Amino acid sequence: MKHIIYVMFAVIALCVASCTDTASRYNKDINNAERLMQTNADSAMAILDQIDPTNLKVDSLRAKYHYLLAFGHMRQNRSMIGDSLVAFAHKYYSGKDVVRDVSSGTAYAWYKFWVGDTPGAIAMLDSIVSLSNVPDSLVVPTLRVRVLLGASEYQGETLIPFAKRLVAIESDTLRQIEAKYMLLSAYENTEKLDSALLLSEELIDYARSHRWGDKQFVFELEQAQILGEMGRTDESNRVVEGIFEKSSPDNGAADYLHIQLAMNALNSGNLSLASKELAVADSFAVEFRKEDDTYYRSYSNLLRTMIDFKQNGKMKLGHVNGLNNRQQERYNRAKASQWESERSALQQQSRALALKTESQHKTVVILVIALFALIIVVSAAWIIRQRRLHERENEERAEALQKMVDELKSAPAQMQSQVHTPEALRRAMLQQLGIIKMVAETPTEQNREMLRKISSIESDTDGELVNWNNVFELINTLYAGFYDKLQASYGELLSPKEKQIIVLMVAGFSTKEISVITGQTTSTIYVRKSSIRKKLGVPEKEDIVTFLREKTSD
């Protein structure tokens, strides 16, 4: 039994150690991913991809994993359709860890944007950036996302304070320029064109001084649009002509530049020039955009509709359909992109389920192997225990026999020749023991030596270990007819085995010696003694032999 308990404790300890080691390894991997996320998002995501989230049983690990996974997808600009559990992470960190609270909240807002809840995303970002106990260095990434989503929704007055704050606290120069550009867009959307024009001049000067050719081109085009909206068409045209002078007439943005010239002509009332510039813009768009001209057409179709209406005074259904079809096409593409993102998320979930199934299969195999190993260990322990018990029993029998032989050899010769002595009875016992059978059962060198010592003693047991009739006669002779009196008083009450034990007890044999002579185990002898005591009504503290001698002496 002890062996079984030890094995069970060992198995339990192994399982606990395995679980602890797994949790420790996951914690280490997730911490490494968090450390790499800001500098090398790809490496961080590679670490997270190796983790099966179904094995994360501790809330702290689950929250950290799903927060980092969503944050990594946001950093990589990947689909976040499958990152719904970032909500659990944000709830877990709320009020506990301000850094992860802000970061997970930003990732959660970006998830809302991905699933089409842009108002919900903006509301969440507003609540985060308005927190008073958050340092600027921590809130900057969140504020960037807030300004970006606000610009995509063409916010004006609402966006301006956020954009100004971002410009003020942004430490990265390039990102500060981007923040100013989004502030410029907010000014335009609120028709604060003077502020927008001043900011465009600042951006152009900065790009020119730092030789940012591409950025300077974008800012100058934005300035041309602002001037056109202010009614300063000649200035707007000069800005566009200045761009053409610095770059070739067929530069990659020539279609948008000619659209701006067409809009300026339309605002000036020169419809023929507007149509001409729009036709030039269309020719460049066909060359540059090929089939991917949806964004360009969203401008050109509206402008063409306005020119036709001014020329003919009528609105054509074909123009309206064209505008609607372009918008529908953009919607369909966005929907297809969303479906693709959802399909990717489902594929990720399928891979996670496959990993989970594989992990469960391995677990089942390990458990089956452990069960078989446990059965083998328990069986081996039981077999070893039984073998040791058998060996101990054989050793006890051998010791008892050896003691009897030694007593016989040490007795004086005249005592050995007398029948009416206990030594004669012991000699008779030895003569009737089935020594050959004992040796066959346990053929040890000790038994063979003992057999050589008593090789002169013959056996007439007729297949039994002793001839009990002779034993009973000897008991009667030595102890005043004890057996006959026992038989007369309790013969029907006692079994043959119990009678054998009683006469041997009367003759002074020990429990071990009785077990050898009767061919029973010592535990069986003790059980039979208890049975004898109950049958004869011997008090618990009284000796059985003393009790019987008193009863049979009457």
Side-chain angles (χ1 to χ4, degrees):
M1 183 59 69
K2 289 183 178 179
H3 292 289
I4 297 175
I5 294 174
Y6 290 153
V7 171
M8 292 180 66
F9 272 121
V11 172
I12 293 172
L14 182 62
C15 293
V16 171
S18 177
C19 293
T20 304
D21 180 67
T22 301
S24 176
R25 178 168 54 83
Y26 282 150
N27 186 53
K28 181 179 178 181
D29 290 343
I30 294 174
N31 285 338
N32 286 336
E34 185 174 29
R35 180 176 52 82
L36 290 170
M37 187 60 72
Q38 297 296 333
T39 57
N40 193 336
D42 292 340
S43 297
M45 295 300 289
I47 294 175
L48 295 177
D49 288 342
Q50 300 302 314
I51 297 175
D52 180 4
T54 59
N55 290 331
L56 302 176
K57 307 302 181 183
V58 182
D59 284 350
S60 59
L61 287 179
R62 291 178 59 223
K64 193 187 299 184
Y65 170 82
H66 289 295
Y67 141 61
L68 288 174
L69 192 68
F71 194 79
H73 289 156
M74 184 179 70
R75 288 289 305 274
Q76 294 177 321
N77 199 25
R78 289 169 54 184
S79 169
M80 295 184 68
I81 298 296
D83 289 318
S84 60
L85 286 177
V86 69
F88 162 78
H90 181 55
K91 183 177 180 181
Y92 177 84
Y93 288 124
S94 180
K96 296 179 181 178
D97 186 325
V98 64
V99 175
R100 290 170 180 160
D101 184 9
V102 170
S103 298
S104 62
T106 304
Y108 187 25
W110 198 244
Y111 163 77
K112 284 178 172 289
F113 169 73
W114 265 95
V115 297
D117 184 14
T118 303
I122 291 176
M124 175 168 283
L125 293 169
D126 286 349
S127 66
I128 295 174
V129 299
S130 62
L131 294 174
S132 58
N133 60 338
V134 180
D136 289 343
S137 59
L138 182 58
V139 82
V140 164
T142 307
L143 196 57
R144 289 173 188 160
V145 178
R146 171 62 183 89
V147 172
L148 178 63
L149 290 185
S152 69
E153 291 294 301
Y154 301 101
Q155 289 184 341
E157 291 291 347
T158 305
L159 182 61
I160 289 175
F162 293 114
K164 284 184 175 180
R165 182 183 176 188
L166 181 60
V167 170
I169 66 176
E170 186 68 79
S171 58
D172 182 87
T173 302
L174 183 59
R175 289 186 179 276
Q176 189 180 52
I177 294 299
E178 292 175 350
K180 288 182 177 181
Y181 184 70
M182 284 185 280
L183 176 59
L184 184 150
S185 299
Y187 282 146
E188 284 188 87
N189 293 331
T190 54
E191 296 186 358
K192 295 181 177 181
L193 300 179
D194 290 335
S195 297
L197 186 60
L198 288 174
L199 193 54
S200 69
E201 289 287 353
E202 180 183 341
L203 292 173
I204 292 171
D205 290 342
Y206 189 90
R208 185 184 298 114
S209 63
H210 287 78
R211 299 183 182 276
W212 288 357
D214 292 341
K215 294 290 183 182
Q216 182 179 344
F217 168 81
V218 172
F219 298 150
E220 287 178 346
L221 179 58
E222 195 73 34
Q223 187 181 60
Q225 294 172 357
I226 294 170
L227 289 169
E229 291 179 23
M230 295 177 71
R232 297 159 62 174
T233 55
D234 291 340
E235 295 178 61
S236 176
N237 289 336
R238 284 197 293 273
V239 171
V240 173
E241 291 170 359
I243 295 173
F244 276 125
E245 289 175 0
K246 287 179 288 188
S247 60
S248 61
D250 58 348
N251 64 75
D255 47 353
Y256 289 108
L257 291 170
H258 282 285
I259 278 187
Q260 184 61 47
L261 293 176
M263 291 180 64
N264 290 340
L266 179 62
N267 288 332
S268 300
N270 192 342
L271 299 181
S272 60
L273 180 59
S275 297
K276 179 181 176 182
E277 292 291 348
L278 186 58
V280 175
D282 285 345
S283 65
F284 280 119
V286 171
E287 179 182 355
F288 298 154
R289 315 299 168 191
K290 305 297 181 183
E291 300 298 326
D292 188 22
D293 62 347
T294 304
Y295 185 73
Y296 167 80
R297 292 296 177 186
S298 65
Y299 286 99
S300 63
N301 284 347
L302 177 61
L303 191 58
R304 183 173 290 103
T305 301
M306 295 174 65
I307 293 173
D308 287 346
F309 179 75
K310 281 198 172 275
Q311 286 179 335
N312 305 315
K314 296 180 180 180
M315 179 69 72
K316 295 182 180 178
L317 184 61
H319 289 160
V320 177
N321 288 337
L323 292 173
N324 182 66
N325 290 340
R326 290 298 176 181
Q327 293 299 324
Q328 185 65 37
E329 183 179 348
R330 292 184 66 185
Y331 171 78
N332 290 339
R333 290 191 181 187
K335 201 68 177 177
S337 177
Q338 182 178 353
W339 287 340
E340 181 65 24
S341 299
E342 292 175 353
R343 188 170 69 88
S344 299
L346 288 175
Q347 289 176 345
Q348 291 177 0
Q349 293 176 359
S350 298
R351 285 195 294 270
L353 289 174
L355 288 172
K356 181 179 180 181
T357 302
E358 183 181 355
S359 176
Q360 290 177 341
H361 177 70
K362 291 179 180 179
T363 302
V364 170
V365 172
I366 291 172
L367 288 176
V368 170
I369 294 174
L371 179 61
F372 274 111
L374 180 60
I375 292 173
I376 292 172
V377 170
V378 171
S379 300
W382 184 83
I383 292 172
I384 292 172
R385 183 175 181 274
Q386 293 299 316
R387 182 174 297 174
R388 288 182 177 176
L389 290 175
H390 184 64
E391 290 176 355
R392 188 179 299 117
E393 190 69 32
N394 289 336
E395 289 174 359
E396 291 176 353
R397 289 186 179 186
E399 289 175 2
L401 287 172
Q402 186 66 50
K403 181 178 178 182
M404 294 167 65
V405 171
D406 293 341
E407 290 177 354
L408 176 63
K409 295 296 184 179
S410 62
Q414 64 273 17
M415 296 291 289
Q416 293 185 23
S417 62
Q418 296 176 9
V419 176
H420 304 291
T421 62
E423 287 76 11
L425 179 59
R426 290 177 179 274
R427 189 171 185 278
M429 293 295 103
L430 287 171
Q431 288 175 340
Q432 296 177 69
L433 286 175
I435 300 298
I436 300 300
K437 185 175 182 181
M438 293 294 297
V439 172
E441 290 178 356
T442 54
T444 64
E445 186 60 34
Q446 183 182 10
N447 285 349
R448 292 193 183 94
E449 179 63 26
M450 180 179 60
L451 181 59
R452 284 194 291 270
K453 291 180 180 180
I454 58 174
S455 59
S456 59
I457 302 176
E458 296 180 358
S459 176
D460 57 353
T461 60
D462 194 21
E464 298 290 335
L465 289 177
V466 297
N467 187 325
W468 288 105
N469 290 328
N470 291 344
V471 173
F472 297 149
E473 289 178 7
L474 290 169
I475 292 295
N476 279 331
T477 301
L478 292 170
Y479 300 99
F482 176 83
Y483 177 74
D484 288 341
K485 294 176 183 179
L486 178 69
Q487 184 70 14
S489 300
Y490 305 104
E492 295 182 359
L493 188 61
L494 298 169
S495 67
K497 288 290 184 182
E498 291 170 343
K499 295 174 186 178
Q500 295 169 9
I501 293 172
I502 290 173
V503 297
L504 291 176
M505 289 171 64
V506 170
F509 285 95
S510 68
T511 301
K512 288 184 179 180
E513 292 172 339
I514 294 173
S515 70
V516 174
I517 296 170
T518 60
Q520 302 175 77
T521 63
T522 53
S523 59
T524 303
I525 300 300
Y526 283 120
V527 172
R528 291 193 184 277
K529 283 184 179 183
S530 297
S531 177
I532 292 170
R533 185 179 294 276
K534 291 179 181 179
K535 287 182 179 181
L536 300 183
V538 182
E540 189 67 30
K541 295 183 179 181
E542 189 171 348
D543 182 61
I544 295 175
V545 174
T546 303
F547 176 84
L548 286 173
R549 282 179 176 174
E550 290 177 356
K551 292 294 184 181
T552 57
S553 63
D554 298 339

